[in-house]
Amino acid sequence: MFSEISVPSRTIMTPGPVEAHPVALRAMSASILGQFDPAFLQIMDEVKEMIKIPFGTKNEQAFAIDGTSRSGLEAALIALIEPGDKVLIPVYGRFAYLLGEICERAKAEIHYLEKEWDAPFDQETVIEEIKKFQPKIVAMVHGETANGQMQAMEKIGQHCKANDIFFVVDMVATYGGVPLEVDEWGVDFAIAGTQKCVSVPSGLSLITYNDRVEKVLTSRYQKELGLSKDIRNANHISSNYLDLSQLQRYWSEERINHHTEATSMIYGLHEGLRMMIKEGMENVYARHALNDQAIVAGIKAMGLGFYGDLTTKMPTVTPIMIPKGIDGEKVRALMLDEFAVEIASSFGALQGKVWRIGNMGYSSRKSNVLHVLSALEGALNYYGADISKGEAVKAALTIYQK
């Protein structure tokens, strides 16, 4: 016989997933509604409008796609790419290569502009590469969780806009944690997710796109054969499930029967967004910034170093250098087993060299910051690391007392 699951309580301070907001979890336990029930359609309509606020956009199109953040990235890119299209991908961390992986499968001609992961690009460097390569699409990551770095992009976006190039941006790690200006920055297509600063379980991707993108979708629209034999298109989008030309119509007044919506996830999304908006976006950003300052102060006081440029570090992720002679995975395991605190390692060349503390959404709380700092200090002390003892929490409290 199988037993009922017993889920341990954790303090999750990773770059995702994060602790879900209790209000969102309660909403997800509500009764199931049919996907075309008027009560549910009203929830969908409100979600569409709320998604736009953290993106900083007045785009008509903004909605959720069933699937994790990656589903939105893939939907965006396969909607725009036709075989042979040129895509420029500036790489300063792991997730730019994910964009390339998706573009490769869409049969694009990909050009990577690569650099060390310790800092983002100077915008002029990217613009010069755009001029040389002349892509149809520039696909870029705003905040790289692998290294905690954040890319400035307003000049890149405006150059793309002026030269009729599509600018697609992964905002998964920054949406709801830092101010975003999709319209002002010239971003054509922006993608986020539920499992980070929105404080909802993983399972939906949030997207917004402008009229330029919508024209492409309209030109590629093909209605599912079981719904109509008349609307055929030789240039249709390659995926049925992630076909934005149909999904857009599912989320509009047309309400085509594309799929069975994940109603409980939409309930949670509605409440996660509502709680952010109720707090006030400026207050949300200030909370993340304050807790980030406390984390950084605590890590410095402990005598640990940081990976990368602190001036371009995003407030939602802090990359910490693992001290020499210390097994980073043993420290993480002790923190989880004895303190019930989870932090993350990193990827690629940074694996085994860097820990990452997340500071996102409902997890971005003073009590969590003090807990993760004390747990990290305790684990390092247990394994004999050369750190300044008793200083981390004191330094963080000094930030809060100010």
Side-chain angles (χ1 to χ4, degrees), residues 61-75:
Q61 299 300 337
F63 52 89
I65 298 175
D66 293 0
T68 61
S69 304
R70 192 172 296 214
S71 70
L73 298 172
E74 187 154 339

Side-chain angles (χ1 to χ4, degrees), residues 21-229:
H21 199 293
V23 172
L25 290 178
R26 283 199 298 271
M28 292 178 71
S29 67
S31 300
I32 299 297
L33 290 171
Q35 61 179 342
F36 297 113
D37 186 309
F40 182 67
L41 296 181
Q42 181 179 343
I43 293 170
M44 289 177 68
D45 288 343
E46 290 180 3
V47 163
K48 281 187 69 172
E49 293 308 309
M50 287 192 288
I51 285 173
K52 299 175 186 180
I53 294 171
F55 272 131
T57 186
K58 294 182 179 179
N59 287 340
E60 180 180 349
Q61 299 300 337
F63 52 89
I65 298 175
D66 293 0
T68 61
S69 304
R70 192 172 296 214
S71 70
L73 298 172
E74 187 154 339
L77 291 166
I78 66 172
L80 294 174
I81 294 171
E82 297 177 46
D85 281 345
K86 296 169 73 174
V87 182
L88 173 66
I89 303 176
V91 179
Y92 66 101
R94 173 201 168 179
F95 287 98
Y97 290 115
L98 170 59
L99 301 179
E101 180 87 9
I102 294 167
C103 293
E104 178 186 324
R105 292 166 186 261
K107 311 296 184 187
E109 178 187 341
I110 304 161
H111 176 63
Y112 292 108
L113 174 63
E114 298 172 290
K115 68 176 301 298
E116 291 295 321
W117 291 12
D118 58 344
F121 286 92
D122 179 271
Q123 293 191 74
E124 294 300 331
T125 301
V126 177
I127 291 169
E128 286 304 310
E129 201 67 19
I130 293 171
K131 291 176 181 177
K132 292 177 188 176
F133 186 59
Q134 294 292 308
K136 174 182 175 180
I137 300 164
V138 174
M140 200 164 195
V141 178
H142 182 228
E144 271 282 3
T145 54
N147 51 14
Q149 293 293 306
M150 186 164 66
Q151 175 69 54
M153 51 183 47
E154 66 280 357
K155 294 179 183 177
I156 299 168
Q158 291 304 323
H159 178 83
C160 289
K161 184 176 181 179
N163 291 274
D164 201 28
I165 297 165
F166 288 106
F167 192 31
V168 178
V169 181
D170 171 346
M171 295 181 168
V172 174
T174 50
Y175 180 89
V178 302
L180 304 176
E181 298 291 346
V182 163
D183 297 348
E184 187 177 317
W185 297 347
V187 177
D188 294 292
F189 207 130
I191 303 98
T194 51
Q195 77 277 16
K196 297 186 187 286
C197 295
V198 185
S199 307
V200 172
S202 178
L204 293 175
S205 183
L206 318 180
I207 65 169
T208 186
Y209 52 84
N210 58 21
D211 293 344
R212 294 179 68 219
V213 173
E214 189 171 352
K215 287 178 183 177
V216 174
L217 298 182
T218 299
S219 73
R220 303 190 73 180
Y221 177 48
Q222 175 171 295
K223 200 168 186 177
E224 191 173 318
L225 195 58
L227 300 176
S228 172
K229 294 183 178 179

Side-chain angles (χ1 to χ4, degrees), residues 27 36 53 67 79 167 169 177-178 201 204 237 254 266 272 274 280 298 331 335 342 348 382:
F36 297 113
I53 294 171
F167 192 31
V169 181
V178 302
L204 293 175
I237 294 168
E254 189 175 339
I266 297 296
R274 188 181 66 83
V331 169
M335 291 176 68
E342 184 180 5
Y382 180 80

Side-chain angles (χ1 to χ4, degrees), residues 74 78-79 81 105-106 220 235-241 243:
E74 187 154 339
I78 66 172
I81 294 171
R105 292 166 186 261
R220 303 190 73 180
N235 193 33
H236 61 74
I237 294 168
S238 59
S239 171
N240 176 286
Y241 189 68
D243 181 353

Side-chain angles (χ1 to χ4, degrees), residues 357-374:
I357 291 180
N359 173 45
M360 295 178 166
Y362 189 65
S363 285
S364 181
R365 308 197 302 278
K366 179 168 70 172
S367 58
N368 278 14
V369 171
L370 299 178
H371 192 185
V372 74
L373 289 173
S374 61

